[in-house]
Amino acid sequence: TANKEFFDMKPLLLQTSLPCAIVDTAALGDAAVAGESLPADGSASIEEKMCFVLQLLEHGRTGDAAMLLDTINYNPNTLTPALYTAWLWLARMSIYIGRADYLMAGDAAERSLRALDAVVVKKGDDFLAVLAGIIYNLADLYYATGDNSRATKCLSKAQKLYERLVKKDEARFAPMLTYAVEASMLIFSSRNKQMEVFAHYHDLTEQYSGMVEGGNRDALAQLVDSLQKEGDIMLEMGNHRDAMKYFTKALRYQKRISSEMGLKELSLSIGLARSLMRIANRRDQADQLLASLQPLALRLGAADAQAEIAELLDKKDKNNRIMTLLKGIF
């Protein structure tokens, strides 16, 4: 579930994360504006390539920047410093986020963190700047995909890093500190809006529940829908145990409507699995539930549900790897 209805986080300023390098950026900027490319003979240094990527992005040539990044990232030079590799994948992550390709953005984040983890001396402004950029982008990624809990945690970590960096170089890092603070405030504001929406559905749930208990079977479907909405909102806010309770209750009422497993049951069960995935002692149960839902989604011809289940299984492993890498670095 996307949160873009509430706000868009400001995109990472990639130049603040770029490891300092002595390159004629003015000449590279002129080439970017003129629609030119780097020399085809391969004489450009890795620093020049990185700066040119930045110039391409700043002049709106995102497609060319993505192509150059893929050329470098998928044909790595063993002499390229790990910190540079981390920035190159961070730049690719930013492009994926800008295109709302969150699956690939997560993959780029993991690659960037792995490169950062390979840096021998894990200190200094440039190292912390790349790390802060990755964490800020992760906050953007998680918030855009409805994972407010992780987004909030990432923003808190990014803000702390930028506060440290501002003390060293205010001109370079102050803008990103401002972005992180603004994003935190906006997430808080959006959480208030979510609570208002939740209160609305909670009132509806109480109303429909009373009608159902009074013998009005026609209100069952509305009650199930209202409970599902409450579960969705709790998921977005990171209240996973509450979300689990709402989806479980919705499924119980849905059984009174139909004893068959159909699209509604599939949708509610996926919501339940999302909840279980974020509860430490219930993750195996989530895996089992998702595995059992795959043949149902196939039988019902629910292509979107099939894709969502596959993405959830992949995303779970990826998020676990990303969090493990972050803990090891920061």
Side-chain angles (χ1 to χ4, degrees), residues 198 201-210 212-213 219-232 234 240-258 264-265 267-269 271-273 275-276 282 289:
F198 177 80
Y201 282 108
H202 189 68
D203 288 342
L204 287 178
T205 296
E206 292 291 313
Q207 178 184 333
Y208 292 135
S209 181
V212 168
E213 297 309 316
L220 268 172
Q222 289 95 325
L223 175 57
V224 170
D225 287 344
S226 186
L227 285 166
Q228 184 174 16
K229 286 289 187 180
E230 287 182 288
D232 286 337
M234 287 295 101
H240 305 107
R241 290 188 181 277
D242 286 338
M244 176 187 69
K245 293 175 184 177
Y246 286 116
F247 286 118
T248 300
K249 197 172 183 179
L251 280 164
R252 189 164 64 244
Y253 278 112
Q254 182 62 23
K255 285 182 181 178
R256 293 168 62 174
I257 298 174
S258 172
K264 188 64 175 180
E265 289 78 8
S267 175
L268 291 169
S269 297
L272 177 58
S275 309
L276 295 171
R282 296 295 189 95
L289 178 55

Side-chain angles (χ1 to χ4, degrees), residues 10-209:
K10 290 181 179 177
L12 173 71
L13 298 172
L14 274 168
Q15 64 268 33
T16 63
S17 298
L18 182 71
C20 293
I22 302 171
V23 174
D24 184 0
T25 53
L28 291 171
D30 292 341
V33 172
E36 298 172 4
S37 302
L38 288 171
D41 60 6
S43 61
S45 67
I46 185 63
E47 290 86 358
E48 287 176 317
K49 291 176 182 177
M50 292 164 67
C51 289
F52 194 56
V53 164
L54 191 59
Q55 293 294 333
L56 290 172
L57 290 171
E58 290 183 348
H59 291 92
R61 293 175 60 186
T62 306
D64 290 332
M67 191 176 300
L68 177 55
L69 282 167
D70 287 345
T71 300
I72 301 170
N73 287 337
Y74 290 107
N75 295 283
N77 187 320
T78 54
L79 298 178
T80 300
L83 186 62
Y84 288 7
T85 301
W87 185 88
L88 289 162
W89 279 112
L90 172 60
R92 197 63 177 96
M93 182 188 183
S94 291
I95 293 174
Y96 283 130
I97 289 175
R99 293 175 175 174
D101 189 344
Y102 302 121
L103 189 63
M104 291 303 294
D107 180 68
E110 184 180 351
R111 291 173 182 267
S112 185
L113 283 169
R114 289 195 183 283
L116 208 58
D117 193 38
V119 175
V120 177
V121 182
K122 293 178 173 59
K123 62 181 181 180
D125 291 358
D126 286 342
F127 176 87
L128 293 177
V130 174
L131 177 59
I134 297 170
I135 297 174
Y136 180 86
N137 265 1
L138 281 171
D140 197 354
L141 165 63
Y142 288 134
Y143 189 76
T145 53
D147 194 341
N148 286 10
S149 179
R150 279 200 175 104
T152 302
K153 290 176 182 176
C154 284
L155 273 176
S156 176
K157 290 179 179 179
Q159 186 173 328
K160 289 176 182 177
L161 282 171
Y162 284 124
E163 285 171 352
R164 285 174 60 184
L165 289 165
V166 162
K167 293 176 183 178
K168 299 283 192 69
D169 191 337
E170 184 174 355
R172 178 180 175 187
F173 298 111
M176 279 310 308
L177 175 58
T178 301
Y179 280 16
V181 172
E182 286 178 355
S184 297
M185 292 169 62
L186 287 165
I187 284 184
F188 179 77
S189 175
S190 74
R191 286 175 71 88
N192 288 340
K193 292 179 182 178
Q194 285 173 318
M195 283 307 299
E196 290 174 8
V197 176
F198 177 80
H200 167 71
Y201 282 108
H202 189 68
D203 288 342
L204 287 178
T205 296
E206 292 291 313
Q207 178 184 333
Y208 292 135
S209 181

